[in-house]
Amino acid sequence: MMFRKADFKDMDDRFRANLISSLSGFKSANLVGTQDDAGNTNVAIVSSVFHLGANPALIGMIMRPHTVRRDTFENILSAGEYTINHVNHDIWQKAHQTSARYPETVSEFSEVSLTPQWLDGIKAPFVAESRLKYALALRSCQTLEINGVELVIGEVTHLELDESAVTETGYLDIEALGSVAISGLDSYHVTQRLGRLSYAKPGIEPRLLTF
Amino acid sequence: MMFRKADFKDMDDRFRANLISSLSGFKSANLVGTQDDAGNTNVAIVSSVFHLGANPALIGMIMRPHTVRRDTFENILSAGEYTINHVNHDIWQKAHQTSARYPETVSEFSEVSLTPQWLDGIKAPFVAESRLKYALALRSCQTLEINGVELVIGEVTHLELDESAVTETGYLDIEALGSVAISGLDSYHVTQRLGRLSYAKPGIEPRLLTF
């Protein structure tokens, strides 16, 4: 079946939000940890995290500070540091619940029973229950003119993960860590590997890689 | 185990690329269809597609035109239109093979045995084998100063998908369509739903949604 641009306009807001947010395919499920100047901690689920470059190690993230999640965005700007923690299948429901609009001074950590974890010198909490987590230093923040969302870019400064996930080639087996994927606004998925494929070259069939 | 920023610098390039590209979690697997002024078609796998907003329906995509995939990027700029097609478990190996560096005048469609599909008035081919695909009009393109990658933003103008995937609420069941997720540079995954959760509110446990 076919939808056209004019059809999107006529849709109910919630229907359109569900439909359009499904188009970009599977998304990563992350908990972003921050702290404000007064020491209040905040943790929020974010599905708009993406790879920007490996050297330097840069991660992008889209935020809608003018609608929801203002605390997280303001803490990032103010502290200049934040953490990203993979959501795994043991904490997916708690992770989802962080999206409720709690008052500014209430920590989602205690509300949803997740544990803040600190590393010396970093002004943002990790999520202890996550098995792959990293701290970032804020490198840039810009408002995208086209619709007013914020593009936040950070550089990875510290990476902590289960050693079992690190393969010989540097590939991290995030499936083995139980990291989940999101589709649409509210659907959570575990994964099953089809395979890893060798670097593609013209005229040569890619072969399955072992770890 | 822990890696620090200084450790990333000392890593072998390929090891670092594998490691850092795993951090952002599961990514969507997409084939981007384009056409040049002379009518040559191009199709390329892209894992950096992300949701930017529902109204208007905006999709972002990161491209590295100064290293690889220059054809796709230039075709988008020149035609002002492109398609994004979900990769599913029937075509994941063909999709991967599109990343080989074929000469400019060679169409990846014929090289990897995918079928271009045309819609009247759109100057870019869809991938017939994909079960969820959409055409976009280029809305903005900017170079991110921090590392020189391009942020390409398009607005969805036409959406074609299997009717079976559309639920009552607008959520699209992309798992049922066989859409795959990517981790790192080369690992492909199918998914298994843990559940959909209701809109989170303070003090109320999210409940599982049915379709």
Side-chain angles (χ1 to χ4, degrees):
Chain A
M1 70 185 297
M2 171 80 83
F3 294 100
R4 288 183 176 76
K5 191 174 151 180
D7 302 323
F8 300 146
K9 277 213 178 101
D10 296 335
M11 284 173 184
D12 165 76
D13 281 351
R14 191 77 189 160
F15 189 94
R16 180 176 48 228
N18 278 322
L19 182 80
I20 303 298
S21 70
S22 299
L23 298 187
S24 60
F26 288 106
K27 311 175 221 198
S28 57
N30 312 277
L31 285 165
V32 174
T34 58
Q35 184 181 222
D36 71 13
D37 295 340
N40 297 305
T41 58
N42 194 293
V43 61
I45 190 162
V46 173
S47 64
S48 61
V49 165
F50 54 91
H51 175 73
L52 265 183
N55 190 19
L58 295 173
I59 302 283
M61 178 165 82
I62 299 293
M63 310 211 80
R64 288 172 182 67
H66 304 301
T67 51
V68 285
R69 307 262 117 252
R70 193 162 184 87
D71 298 351
T72 294
F73 181 64
E74 289 191 346
N75 291 350
I76 291 173
L77 293 188
S78 147
E81 292 185 300
Y82 53 110
T83 69
I84 295 181
N85 308 263
H86 278 209
V87 174
N88 59 52
H89 53 55
D90 292 330
I91 57 170
W92 66 285
Q93 286 139 315
K94 292 177 178 184
H96 181 79
Q97 184 62 17
T98 64
S99 63
R101 298 189 196 197
Y102 294 104
E104 195 179 321
T105 52
V106 168
S107 174
E108 291 84 2
F109 278 105
S110 48
E111 289 298 315
V112 309
S113 303
L114 288 170
T115 315
Q117 173 194 330
W118 298 92
L119 191 65
D120 263 4
I122 297 180
K123 290 175 289 183
F126 292 91
V127 176
E129 289 82 356
S130 174
R131 297 170 66 188
L132 189 165
K133 43 200 151 188
Y134 44 101
L136 302 103
L138 177 65
R139 285 287 174 255
S140 114
C141 176
Q142 59 178 291
T143 308
L144 299 184
E145 267 182 44
I146 197 159
N147 68 348
V149 300
E150 301 284 343
L151 168 57
V152 175
I153 299 176
E155 180 173 357
V156 181
T157 58
H158 299 75
L159 164 62
E160 194 190 310
L161 77 168
D162 283 13
E163 192 162 356
S164 63
V166 185
T167 68
E168 254 180 50
T169 58
Y171 170 76
L172 303 180
D173 189 353
I174 64 172
E175 178 167 289
L177 294 181
S179 295
V180 303
I182 293 179
S183 68
L185 296 171
D186 52 29
S187 185
Y188 295 82
H189 309 254
V190 289
T191 63
Q192 192 171 1
R193 181 173 288 104
L194 291 164
R196 291 183 63 200
L197 291 177
S198 58
Y199 191 79
K201 292 177 181 169
I204 301 172
E205 293 256 309
R207 66 177 202 288
L208 280 170
L209 296 176
T210 49
F211 288 98
Chain B
M1 71 184 296
M2 171 80 82
F3 293 99
R4 289 183 174 76
K5 191 174 153 181
D7 300 324
F8 300 147
K9 277 214 179 100
D10 295 335
M11 285 172 183
D12 164 77
D13 281 351
R14 191 76 189 163
F15 189 94
R16 181 177 49 228
N18 279 322
L19 182 80
I20 304 299
S21 69
S22 299
L23 297 187
S24 60
F26 288 106
K27 311 174 221 198
S28 56
N30 311 277
L31 285 164
V32 175
T34 59
Q35 185 181 220
D36 71 13
D37 296 338
N40 297 304
T41 58
N42 194 293
V43 60
I45 190 162
V46 173
S47 64
S48 62
V49 165
F50 53 93
H51 175 74
L52 264 181
N55 191 19
L58 296 173
I59 302 283
M61 178 165 80
I62 299 294
M63 309 211 80
R64 289 170 182 69
H66 304 301
T67 52
V68 286
R69 307 262 116 253
R70 191 160 187 90
D71 298 352
T72 293
F73 181 64
E74 289 191 345
N75 291 350
I76 292 173
L77 294 187
S78 148
E81 292 185 302
Y82 54 109
T83 71
I84 294 181
N85 308 263
H86 277 209
V87 174
N88 60 51
H89 53 56
D90 292 330
I91 57 169
W92 65 285
Q93 286 140 315
K94 293 177 177 185
H96 181 79
Q97 183 62 17
T98 64
S99 63
R101 298 189 195 196
Y102 293 104
E104 195 179 320
T105 53
V106 168
S107 174
E108 291 83 4
F109 278 106
S110 49
E111 289 297 316
V112 309
S113 304
L114 289 169
T115 315
Q117 173 194 331
W118 297 93
L119 192 65
D120 263 5
I122 297 180
K123 290 175 290 183
F126 292 92
V127 176
E129 289 83 356
S130 173
R131 298 170 67 187
L132 189 166
K133 43 199 151 191
Y134 45 101
L136 303 104
L138 178 65
R139 284 288 174 256
S140 113
C141 178
Q142 60 178 291
T143 308
L144 299 184
E145 267 183 44
I146 197 159
N147 68 347
V149 301
E150 301 285 343
L151 169 58
V152 175
I153 299 176
E155 181 172 357
V156 181
T157 59
H158 300 75
L159 164 63
E160 194 190 311
L161 77 168
D162 284 12
E163 191 161 356
S164 64
V166 185
T167 69
E168 253 180 52
T169 58
Y171 170 76
L172 303 180
D173 189 352
I174 63 172
E175 179 167 289
L177 294 181
S179 295
V180 303
I182 293 179
S183 68
L185 297 171
D186 51 29
S187 185
Y188 295 82
H189 309 253
V190 290
T191 62
Q192 192 172 1
R193 181 174 288 104
L194 291 165
R196 290 182 64 201
L197 292 177
S198 59
Y199 191 79
K201 290 176 182 170
I204 301 173
E205 291 256 310
R207 65 177 201 287
L208 280 171
L209 297 176
T210 50
F211 288 98

